[in-house]
Amino acid sequence: MRPTHARPSTNSFEATALSALNTTGGATHAPAEVFVMKPDFIKPDLMACQPGRYAPSRQSLPCVLAKLSYLQPTLERPVHYAYEPPAGTPWESHPFDDREIHIADARQLTTRTTVHREGFELWDAPTALNDFSDKDLIIERYYPEVVELACAATGAKRGYVFDHLVRKREADRRALSFGRSAKGEPAAANGRIHNDYTEESGRKRLGLVLAGKNEHAAIGRYSIVNVWRSINVPVLDTPLAVCDARTLAATDLISAEVRYPKRSGDIYLAIHSPWHRWWYFSAMHRNEALVFKQYDSQLSGVARFTPHAAFEHPDAPPDWPLRESIETRCLVVYE
C-alpha cells in the first residue's frame, strides 16, 4: 500500500468535463484598528480596513460545481431518525441549506494531502476480498486490511476496526438525503455534510472499543479514521467530497443526535462558511482507499474532524452503474 494521487486511465469523461476553479469567498473579519501617521490630505474614512474585500489565493484546479447540503444555522440541537419516526414526527428536525459549491479534483494537486494536515489522503490499497455482501467475510478478511492501512496512513501503533457500512445509490437516483436504509436494502449514499463523531462521542468511543481489553486507562493519543472504498466499478455518479480540515472553524460544527431503534448517536453537522475548501478524488476504483480523520484526541496541531458528503457529479454518464461503496471505521492508538 502507498499514498497516491495518480489519475486512473478509466476517467476519460472527467478530463474533458471539469472546469477551472474560480477564486471565490471573502474575508469576514471585523475591521481592525489601524495606527498610522497620515498626511492631512488622506481622507479619514479610507484608513479603516475594509472587511470582505480580500480572500486567500487559491490554486486553479479542475473542479465541478455541485450541490452540497449544509445545515441551516440553528440554536437548537438537530435530530435525525435512522428509522421511520413516530407518526407526525419529521425525519429531520431542521432544514438544510443546499449550496452550489466548487469541489476540486485532488488528483490534480502537485503535492499529496495528508490525514494529519488536510484530514484525508488517498492510498493505493488493493484488497483481497471480492465479495462485500457477506458480513462475516468482511470482518474476517477485510478488517485486518483496514487496520494495516489505517496504521500506515496515521503512523499509529495499532488499530481496532469496530464498524462498517455498505452503501449503494438508489436505482431511481432520487435526491440525496441522510443515506438511510430501505427495508432489506443497503444504506443509500449520504448527501448531508457531516462528521461521524463529535468531541463527546469521540471520547466515548474509546471506552466502547477497548472495553474489556485492560488498556483503556493507559491510552494516550488516539484517532478515529474512516476508510472509504468503491466495491464495484469506478465511482462517477456520486463521489465523496471531503472538507479540508484547515479551513474548518469550531463554530462551523453543530452537534446533532441520530436516533436508531435501540440507541442514539452523536454526529457533527456543518453550517456554511465561505472559507471551506472541498475536494474529491475523481473516478475512485476498488483498488484505492480514501482515509480521512473523524476524530483526534490531540487538541491542536493536527486535523481533528473532516466533514464529508456524497454529491451528484454533474458530468456523470446517465447509464453508468450506480455507486457501491464500503466505509469502515477504525480506532488507532499512537502510543
Side-chain angles (χ1 to χ4, degrees), residues 67-70 103 176-177 189-196 228 238-243 278-280 290 292 294 306-312 323:
K67 286 185 179 180
L68 288 178
S69 191
Y70 283 95
I103 308 172
L176 292 170
S177 61
N190 190 343
R192 303 299 193 212
I193 298 171
H194 68 287
N195 190 85
D196 296 351
W228 192 94
T238 45
L240 189 69
V242 287
C243 183
W278 286 92
W279 303 91
Y280 81 112
L290 180 62
F292 55 99
Q294 292 296 275
T306 312
H308 54 284
F311 70 95
E312 295 185 13
R323 185 252 264 195

Side-chain angles (χ1 to χ4, degrees), residues 179-295:
R180 302 174 184 87
S181 302
K183 188 174 181 179
E185 297 292 331
N190 190 343
R192 303 299 193 212
I193 298 171
H194 68 287
N195 190 85
D196 296 351
Y197 290 90
T198 64
E199 193 72 70
E200 181 179 354
S201 61
R203 294 194 301 266
K204 182 179 179 181
R205 177 55 60 178
L206 178 66
L208 295 173
V209 172
L210 298 184
K213 290 184 171 60
N214 298 320
E215 57 179 315
H216 183 185
I219 297 300
R221 181 188 170 199
Y222 68 96
S223 297
I224 301 171
V225 297
N226 192 324
V227 176
W228 192 94
R229 178 192 301 272
S230 169
I231 57 175
N232 194 0
V233 298
V235 175
L236 302 186
D237 61 332
T238 45
L240 189 69
V242 287
C243 183
D244 188 331
R246 300 170 301 173
T247 68
L248 190 68
T251 51
D252 300 335
L253 298 174
I254 306 297
S255 178
E257 179 185 359
V258 182
R259 294 180 180 174
Y260 301 93
K262 296 182 179 180
R263 65 181 180 89
S264 291
D266 296 332
I267 64 171
Y268 278 138
L269 301 174
I271 58 175
H272 178 259
S273 166
W275 293 91
H276 294 166
R277 295 191 69 185
W278 286 92
W279 303 91
Y280 81 112
F281 289 92
S282 55
M284 275 188 63
H285 55 82
R286 62 178 291 120
N287 287 329
E288 296 179 311
L290 180 62
V291 183
F292 55 99
K293 188 88 67 70
Q294 292 296 275
Y295 176 80

Side-chain angles (χ1 to χ4, degrees), residues 11-30:
N11 192 25
S12 59
F13 96 94
E14 294 278 358
T16 57
L18 302 182
S19 58
L21 176 62
N22 294 320
T23 300
T24 59
T28 57
H29 302 294

Side-chain angles (χ1 to χ4, degrees), residues 152-186:
T154 60
K157 301 297 184 183
R158 60 189 184 277
Y160 307 87
V161 175
F162 58 87
D163 186 25
H164 77 270
L165 185 62
V166 173
R167 294 187 184 273
K168 184 175 181 179
R169 183 73 164 104
E170 302 95 330
D172 59 4
R173 301 181 189 270
R174 69 191 65 174
L176 292 170
S177 61
F178 194 63
R180 302 174 184 87
S181 302
K183 188 174 181 179
E185 297 292 331

